[in-house]
Amino acid sequence: MNPNELKAELRIPETQAKDIIIGQPAIVDIRTATIPGVVSRIDPSASQGTVTVDIKLLMDDLPLGARPQLSVDGRVEIERLSDVLFVGKPAYGQSNSQVSLFRVTDDGAYAYRVLVKLGPASAHFI
């Protein structure tokens, strides 16, 4: 099996695919291992609410269990932020909006409401 001939196809929800560009790093999970990759192609059309994104695998020798037509999971790194605080995405919060959250004091005895400006969001975190 020639690793140069294999690629991973990820189906990304349309709402998240708008931020994907060719060349972004990705990780493909084949259940027994993870394989680094890079976005090599983005399907120009959507189908059933998803966009197909091809990931070129960046590994000379693929791990055992890697084979054609294998179901995989994957992540595309859209942006890397350093020195940030992230929390689980609240049901009512949108990216780049202001919401009211509770901040717990250092001793954990009290909580008070603060206005927070939310930044970028992923599927589960903000």
Side-chain angles (χ1 to χ4, degrees), residues 35-78:
I35 303 170
V38 64
V39 174
S40 62
R41 181 182 168 279
I42 304 165
D43 196 332
S45 62
S47 174
Q48 299 178 353
T50 63
V51 174
T52 301
V53 174
D54 291 349
I55 306 298
K56 178 183 177 189
L57 304 178
L58 299 177
M59 189 175 250
D60 292 335
D61 296 320
L62 292 177
L64 293 175
R67 65 182 187 282
Q69 302 299 317
L70 179 68
S71 292
V72 299
D73 288 324
R75 292 187 313 268
V76 176
E77 185 178 298
I78 303 296

Side-chain angles (χ1 to χ4, degrees), residues 9-22:
E9 289 184 354
L10 302 180
R11 290 186 194 98
I12 309 291
E14 250 181 301
T15 56
Q16 295 174 0
K18 64 182 175 38
D19 297 324
I20 296 177
I21 59 174
I22 292 175

Side-chain angles (χ1 to χ4, degrees), residues 110-124:
Y110 300 98
Y112 55 96
R113 189 181 301 260
V114 294
L115 192 60
V116 176
K117 182 174 189 240
L118 302 176
S122 69
H124 304 289

Side-chain angles (χ1 to χ4, degrees), residues 81-86:
L81 302 172
S82 60
D83 194 27
V84 297
L85 172 68
F86 66 94

